[in-house]
Amino acid sequence: MPPAGKDEALGIGYLFLLQRLLEHLRYRTDRGYADAAKFIADFQADVVTRVEAGQVDARMLSFVGAALHQSKIPASPELAAASARHSNNEDEGGPLPTDVRAALGGILEACGGDPFMVVGSLIESSHAMPVETRSSLAGAMALAGIPEARAAAVLFLLDPDTAVRRAVAVALDQVAASLTQTDIRRLIAMRNWRPEDERAQVDAVIRKSRTAGIDCAQWQAGSIEAVVASAIDGSTTQGFLLVSPAGRKKRISSVLTKGGIADAWSGEPESVRRIEATLAGAGRNSPMLAVSRSYLDRAVAHHLALSTEKREAAPLGLLHVAETIGGADWQPARIAFSEALTGLIADIPKTMCEAAALASVLRKSDDLADLDAVALSWFEDDPQVAQAVEAARGRDHAKLASYLLQSALPRHRDRWAETVLRTALWMHEAPPEADLCWRELALVAKALADGRDMAEIGLMRNIALRTIAVLRSAGRM
């Protein structure tokens, strides 16, 4: 990478590879693998060493921080401290420019005045900086006396870090009377997308603004022409693609869920042909179904609830998606497992629920054609299961699967019941003539929830066998 190197394209390629490797390690840390966590810690420690030795310049440090941000890996305290020292050395005035107003003006101009682009870029590029620096930056934008900077500061209320969110709320409280109607609409929309104990700060800003006579702007015109959703994979991830009109072109927005709202974005307007190619490509990578707006809204509300319960704010991109589609009253609300299951069971013929028929459905649930592509990622992958498979290295697959069905898999019974139920709800969105296997999956979900022996459920035996095959083929044993 210039200036030390002479091949920027190759440098960008290596950064892309670095980001993907970090993301893979983060997936493994999420599943409890200690070796992956150590790799990440060692990598950040090595970067710190190189920073201290003067081998990494500010531009490269920003790129590395962005790779960590994209991989959803927090910067270590040591990396943040090294970044701060490096910044101070390059700018003796401190971590923020002396002329903050001029610097912010330059950032706004570079991003075309788009507050989402401004904040997204700043959150990414400052990921490796100390939280105090990032909080100061967000507060400076609110107090800079530039309307566009204040608009960007409002969006920092969805920063991934609690301290930054609280700091910018304090700053916005000081300039509440100067906010615009659009700012108020955004504050109201995102208010419940933040942890419950942070909402009072937003309420105070809104009250001051309304007292100053600032009304709430209406949502701009927008709509959704189509929504497609992926199947739920083994890590409980599900993606949504939304198609919206944009003049003669169309625009794709995306929402990714995984135990919360994991990511969201809206793309630039593209030709109809490009949009169709994107949708076709998504369908090749994962089974996709056209779903209703109510299905999307219900899923987003559920995962908003999961995010806020973990004291996380929704990603900034979710607000951008809401504005792209002309507004969305998304409020955190969990999908009640029992209610959703009861609703599906009510639509199943009674004959399927009789004891003999039910036992047959459960036994043959490993042979549902509609699941061939969907269940490819349905397997266990955590250190405990890996150890169990390793300890039984000499056993054949059938005997080992029976062991897992009585030991490791029952520990995750609730997760599998939810995954199967969510898949049934997803298939239920298909047209009746598709006749997908949602009925059988609903009965499997109920059997799992009721504590039925997993050995009696063909689908769970299939998951056990796939777990063994994946762990052994990965060379982890």
Side-chain angles (χ1 to χ4, degrees):
M1 184 71 72
K6 298 180 180 180
D7 195 338
E8 184 171 18
L10 183 59
I12 295 295
Y14 275 118
L15 281 167
F16 175 78
L17 178 61
L18 169 65
Q19 187 273 321
R20 296 305 298 267
L21 290 169
L22 287 170
E23 187 173 48
H24 174 71
L25 288 172
R26 198 261 301 165
Y27 288 154
R28 284 178 56 76
T29 60
D30 288 348
R31 295 193 293 268
Y33 285 97
D35 62 328
K38 185 177 185 304
F39 271 126
I40 292 173
D42 289 348
F43 166 74
Q44 296 202 54
D46 185 57
V47 173
V48 170
T49 300
R50 292 172 182 268
V51 170
E52 301 293 2
Q55 298 172 351
V56 176
D57 62 18
R59 183 168 181 246
M60 182 52 61
L61 187 55
S62 176
F63 282 144
V64 172
L68 289 167
H69 170 76
Q70 292 163 9
S71 305
K72 295 181 171 56
I73 296 173
S76 67
E78 294 78 15
L79 179 59
S83 298
R85 289 193 297 272
H86 191 277
S87 176
N88 286 332
N89 290 337
E90 292 202 349
D91 181 359
E92 294 182 1
L96 291 177
T98 303
D99 190 348
V100 174
R101 185 183 177 91
L104 293 178
I107 295 172
L108 290 164
E109 183 178 357
C111 295
D114 182 344
F116 289 98
M117 185 180 297
V118 169
V119 176
S121 298
L122 289 174
I123 288 176
E124 184 173 289
S125 62
S126 65
H127 182 75
M129 298 301 294
V131 66
E132 296 81 8
T133 301
R134 292 186 284 115
S135 298
S136 297
L137 175 61
M141 296 193 79
L143 303 175
I146 306 172
E148 295 82 3
R150 281 196 297 272
V154 167
L155 302 184
F156 269 108
L157 289 170
L158 293 178
D159 187 273
D161 196 288
T162 301
V164 176
R165 297 196 299 267
R166 289 188 178 279
V168 77
V170 171
L172 287 170
D173 189 70
Q174 300 176 45
V175 295
S178 300
L179 297 179
T180 66
Q181 294 181 357
T182 298
D183 295 334
I184 302 305
R185 185 192 68 215
R186 288 170 175 164
L187 286 168
I188 293 172
M190 71 172 75
R191 187 255 186 195
N192 289 342
W193 299 1
R194 293 154 45 90
E196 189 171 357
D197 64 349
E198 295 181 24
R199 296 170 188 171
Q201 284 185 303
V202 177
D203 292 339
V205 176
I206 294 172
R207 280 196 302 270
K208 284 191 175 182
S209 299
R210 300 304 289 267
T211 300
I214 304 169
D215 294 325
C216 177
Q218 297 295 314
W219 290 99
Q220 294 180 348
S223 63
I224 299 178
E225 293 184 348
V227 184
V228 294
S230 71
I232 293 86
D233 72 12
S235 66
T236 72
T237 300
Q238 183 178 33
F240 294 85
L241 293 177
L242 294 57
V243 180
S244 303
R248 291 187 172 184
K249 297 183 176 183
K250 297 184 186 296
R251 187 194 306 264
I252 281 187
S253 299
S254 172
V255 178
L256 184 69
T257 65
K258 182 185 178 182
I261 305 294
D263 195 14
W265 52 264
S266 281
E268 294 297 320
E270 296 182 292
S271 67
V272 174
R273 180 176 297 179
R274 288 289 300 274
I275 296 294
E276 290 174 347
T278 298
L279 295 176
R284 287 192 294 270
N285 294 329
S286 173
M288 306 287 287
L289 283 178
V291 298
S292 62
R293 172 66 187 268
S294 61
Y295 178 90
L296 167 69
D297 291 344
R298 191 181 187 191
V300 171
H302 175 72
H303 288 280
L304 275 173
L306 297 183
S307 290
T308 55
E309 287 169 11
K310 293 186 294 184
R311 297 195 46 74
E312 297 174 357
L316 172 64
L318 189 66
L319 183 59
H320 198 188
V321 171
E323 295 195 353
T324 299
I325 65 176
D329 186 24
W330 289 326
Q331 302 298 325
R334 270 185 179 247
I335 295 174
F337 181 97
S338 58
E339 292 179 13
L341 181 58
T342 299
L344 289 179
I345 296 295
D347 291 337
I348 296 176
K350 301 300 182 188
T351 54
M352 286 184 67
C353 301
E354 294 175 358
L358 175 59
S360 177
V361 167
L362 297 180
R363 186 175 62 256
K364 298 177 180 178
S365 59
D366 60 340
D367 194 29
L368 298 171
D370 300 330
L371 278 182
D372 285 348
V374 172
L376 286 175
S377 65
W378 287 12
F379 55 86
E380 291 285 358
D381 185 9
D382 65 46
Q384 292 74 29
V385 175
Q387 288 171 8
V389 173
E390 182 180 16
R393 187 181 303 178
R395 295 190 188 182
D396 63 36
H397 283 201
K399 290 182 179 179
L400 181 52
S402 295
Y403 172 74
L404 292 179
L405 287 169
Q406 300 299 329
S407 57
L409 267 68
R411 294 199 299 268
H412 304 142
R413 177 183 293 273
D414 290 345
R415 176 167 63 81
W416 284 116
E418 180 180 340
T419 297
V420 174
L421 173 62
R422 288 176 58 199
T423 303
L425 292 169
W426 173 72
M427 288 189 174
H428 193 260
E429 287 289 302
E433 56 269 23
D435 196 28
L436 300 184
C437 62
W438 63 266
R439 299 171 185 84
E440 290 84 352
L441 291 180
L443 292 174
V444 170
K446 186 176 188 306
L448 288 170
D450 290 345
R452 190 139 182 168
D453 186 348
M454 287 187 175
E456 300 176 9
I457 304 173
L459 177 57
M460 297 310 299
R461 180 169 293 277
N462 187 296
I463 290 171
L465 288 168
R466 189 178 296 108
T467 296
I468 297 166
V470 168
L471 290 178
R472 285 186 170 171
S473 66
R476 296 176 187 154
M477 299 300 99

